[in-house]
Amino acid sequence: MAVYINEPSRTFNEYLLVPGYSSSECRVENVSLKTPLVKYRKGEEEPALSMNIPMTSAVMQAVSGEKMGVALAQEGGVAFIFVSQPVKEQAEMVAKVKRHKAGFVVSDSNLRPDQTLQDILDLKARSGHSTVAITDNGTAEGKLLGIVTSRDYRVTRMSPDTEISTFMTPIDEMITGNEGISLSEANDILWDHKLNALPILTKDGRLSSFVFRKDYDSHKSNPNELLDSHKRYIVGAGINTRDYEERVPALVEAGADILCIDSSEGYSEWQALTLKWIRERYGNDVKVGAGNVVDAEGFRFLAEAGADFVKIGIGGGSICITREQKGIGRGQASAVIDVAKARDEYFEETGIYVPICSDGGIVYDYHMTLALAMGADFLMLGRYFARFDESPSARLNINGNYVKEYWGEGSNRARNWTRYDLGGTASMKFEEGVDSYVPYAGKLKDNVAQSLLKVKSTMCNCGALSIEELQQKAKITLVSATSIVEGGAHDVMLKETSNNFR
């Protein structure tokens, strides 16, 4: 007969952390959020890949493109470039993040010398960039012929039809650097020659990248940035269980540091076969996570199949309607607690620690701390990151409010049947995700800093200076419906706020 789990399926909203003893060392500046990204054996100093913050971005069209890859790596996390696109396009996104070597920026503003001032103005309006590389073919890899900055033209005194070749700064009047130069050497040239931008050229004169003066301060302000051994940003990519024989080699060639099987339900032979194929061809050199699961049985299946991390969560995402459509899933808190227990038991039995990722169910920032306290090594976030400038979706003004578009991978818009399709005719397909808007929130950096400040502050309240210590020391209590009301503002008349109020 069916197995019945009598414990209710619970969400993060049903729990609170109880404060513990805080020593004088418990200050936010002393808290480390470093966490393992892939499995490791007992006794090893550290895993092959770790993150400096416990955040990854979801494998979604509306969340994880190349801009998210760079921005999240700068903060110390990892973006997983979305898989619901042709192999070539996904591999190019990964390559763009890897080419965006910390401090070395691949030019995304490029024109030919036979184009016009109007083309310069149009490009500036689209990209917001005032530095434009002029190459023989108008691409970022073309032979550099010159450069145009806002100092090279005056709109009021020049015709829009003026050819770029007549007012650009030609290559023979420019100071450049050679490919292979260190960032420190490039910055010295910038400062010594009072330059705002230094083009880096290959041996045959083709444009490799730029180093910008403004990025010097940015580099210094990102102490947690996540880099590989070649000082390139670390980035992940999603794969599926259909075309992995073509997709995995392309992503590995493009430089992806870690892969993740993107599926609404991971306790399946399809995932085991995918992992087996990768291990047979790449051994343990290619790191790959799997999921999603919601119980101990699913975790152990994927751990034994060779997953480097296991993702938890079915139906808990804000745009996911899998539970509504199919009646499958589990409250995210219950799932994390159960899988974390299985992870620890597996570690005791085998000496292999397989990190777990909580994917979905995060509504408030404090839910992040709860997920970590319950045993998650890191989080995967969709709605949270979709709100920022760096997500690929459009920013719109709806009824006077700025929003960003956000849609699920199981929605008709994504048409990601490699993730959800289990057969049947095309006319009988149904959606497992919705198309929606989320409030626009600005830059990733500012929002992540604030969210993680709350996490660190709460950890200090629990007497913990690391995620591992939080999981050991945390005291977690269930809350009643009445106490949830008590936790917000109540029994007062809130003041109306206005932009005109001072």
Side-chain angles (χ1 to χ4, degrees):
M1 62 178 290
V3 174
Y4 288 88
I5 300 173
N6 293 321
E7 172 68 23
S9 179
R10 299 191 182 279
T11 69
F12 293 132
N13 231 32
E14 297 177 77
Y15 291 93
L16 285 175
L17 286 156
V18 176
Y21 171 72
S22 300
S23 72
S24 59
E25 291 297 308
C26 288
R27 302 190 303 273
V28 292
E29 61 268 25
N30 292 335
V31 175
S32 169
L33 293 178
K34 189 169 184 178
T35 191
L37 180 56
V38 298
K39 65 185 178 184
Y40 61 91
R41 290 188 174 275
K42 184 183 292 185
E44 291 181 348
E45 290 187 9
E46 59 182 28
L49 282 174
S50 295
M51 295 187 294
N52 293 323
I53 63 172
M55 285 181 162
T56 62
S57 65
V59 191
M60 299 175 69
Q61 293 176 3
V63 179
S64 296
E66 63 264 30
K67 289 184 179 178
M68 183 63 66
V70 171
L72 192 47
Q74 286 177 335
E75 297 306 308
V78 173
F80 283 89
I81 305 299
F82 68 90
V83 62
S84 50
Q85 60 178 320
V87 173
K88 184 177 179 181
E89 278 82 346
Q90 187 190 20
E92 179 56 27
M93 281 190 176
V94 169
K96 284 182 179 179
V97 178
K98 299 306 291 186
R99 289 198 298 265
H100 197 120
K101 195 173 180 179
F104 294 86
V105 182
V106 177
S107 177
D108 61 359
S109 297
N110 312 284
L111 293 172
R112 301 185 312 275
D114 60 339
Q115 291 181 271
T116 66
L117 174 60
Q118 187 61 54
D119 292 317
I120 292 282
L121 299 178
D122 291 343
L123 180 59
K124 184 177 179 180
R126 291 196 305 270
S127 68
H129 299 157
S130 58
T131 299
V132 180
I134 310 304
T135 62
D136 59 349
N137 59 8
T139 71
E141 296 82 27
K143 187 172 183 179
L144 187 66
L145 302 178
I147 194 171
V148 173
T149 71
S150 55
R151 294 179 299 182
D152 292 313
Y153 59 87
R154 294 187 66 178
V155 177
T156 56
R157 296 190 179 185
M158 295 170 62
S159 167
D161 297 329
T162 307
E163 280 199 6
I164 291 174
S165 60
T166 65
F167 62 86
M168 70 180 187
T169 301
I171 183 68
D172 55 8
E173 296 180 15
M174 295 168 55
I175 294 173
T176 63
N178 296 322
E179 195 172 39
I181 190 174
S182 71
L183 184 59
S184 176
E185 291 169 334
N187 280 317
D188 286 342
I189 294 174
L190 282 172
W191 288 97
D192 291 344
H193 296 275
K194 299 180 180 179
L195 303 173
N196 290 321
L198 179 69
I200 307 300
L201 306 182
T202 63
K203 291 181 179 179
D204 57 356
R206 295 189 175 277
L207 183 61
S208 171
S209 59
F210 274 104
V211 177
F212 292 99
R213 178 189 287 258
K214 63 181 178 61
D215 287 340
Y216 176 82
D217 291 333
S218 174
H219 181 65
K220 292 297 183 183
S221 66
N222 293 320
N224 286 326
E225 60 186 357
L226 203 58
L227 306 174
D228 65 17
S229 58
H230 300 289
K231 303 297 183 183
R232 301 173 302 179
Y233 290 122
I234 287 178
V235 65
I239 60 173
N240 57 55
T241 57
R242 301 297 182 89
D243 63 5
Y244 55 85
E245 293 186 19
E246 176 189 3
R247 193 173 293 270
V248 170
L251 294 173
V252 171
E253 177 67 23
D257 297 280
I258 185 166
L259 307 176
C260 179
I261 304 174
D262 181 46
S263 172
S264 60
E265 203 281 297
Y267 189 7
S268 75
E269 185 178 6
W270 299 113
Q271 294 221 1
L273 291 172
T274 304
L275 289 165
K276 180 181 178 182
W277 186 89
I278 292 172
R279 293 293 172 243
E280 287 177 347
R281 282 154 183 78
Y282 297 98
N284 291 318
D285 292 338
V286 170
K287 306 302 181 185
V288 55
N292 287 17
V293 299
V294 292
D295 63 7
E297 197 174 352
F299 166 83
R300 183 169 284 268
F301 174 80
L302 291 177
E304 291 176 347
D308 283 293
F309 70 83
V310 173
K311 201 144 61 79
I312 309 163
I314 295 176
S318 61
I319 41 68
C320 184
I321 54 174
T322 295
R323 298 180 194 174
E324 179 182 318
Q325 291 279 48
K326 297 167 67 175
I328 287 176
R330 195 176 191 186
Q332 191 67 7
S334 294
V336 170
I337 292 168
D338 194 5
V339 174
K341 183 172 181 287
R343 186 260 330 268
D344 293 343
E345 290 173 350
Y346 187 78
F347 183 48
E348 286 300 315
E349 291 175 23
T350 67
I352 300 173
Y353 187 91
V354 181
I356 57 175
C357 167
S358 177
D359 176 19
I362 301 294
V363 180
Y364 305 109
D365 285 349
Y366 82 86
H367 289 171
M368 298 181 189
T369 320
L370 273 170
L372 297 171
M374 290 174 176
D377 294 284
F378 59 95
L379 316 170
M380 180 168 278
L381 304 160
R383 180 195 61 85
Y384 179 86
F385 286 118
R387 303 172 301 146
F388 304 148
D389 288 323
E390 294 81 3
S391 72
S393 64
R395 187 182 74 169
L396 306 172
N397 190 310
I398 306 293
N399 298 325
N401 296 310
Y402 282 106
V403 297
K404 294 270 286 187
E405 292 183 301
Y406 182 44
W407 59 94
E409 289 299 291
S411 67
N412 274 332
R413 179 168 181 172
R415 299 189 181 280
N416 188 3
W417 303 118
T418 59
R419 189 181 204 265
Y420 290 88
D421 184 25
L422 291 176
T425 63
S427 62
M428 295 295 287
K429 302 298 184 187
F430 56 90
E431 291 183 280
E432 292 187 48
V434 300
D435 201 337
S436 63
Y437 302 116
V438 289
Y440 169 66
K443 292 185 179 299
L444 177 145
K445 184 178 183 64
D446 298 335
N447 285 275
V448 166
Q450 185 177 59
S451 295
L452 293 183
L453 179 62
K454 293 178 187 178
V455 171
K456 290 181 177 182
S457 180
T458 307
M459 288 172 64
C460 286
N461 293 143
C462 297
L465 294 176
S466 68
I467 293 173
E468 183 180 9
E469 191 176 11
L470 174 67
Q471 293 167 352
Q472 294 169 353
K473 291 184 175 181
K475 292 183 288 184
I476 303 172
T477 182
L478 276 167
V479 296
S480 68
T482 304
S483 66
I484 291 175
V485 174
E486 180 187 61
H490 60 90
D491 301 317
V492 294
M493 296 175 62
L494 296 178
K495 295 180 180 180
E496 292 186 8
T497 59
S498 168
N499 291 333
N500 297 322
F501 183 79
R502 297 289 185 267

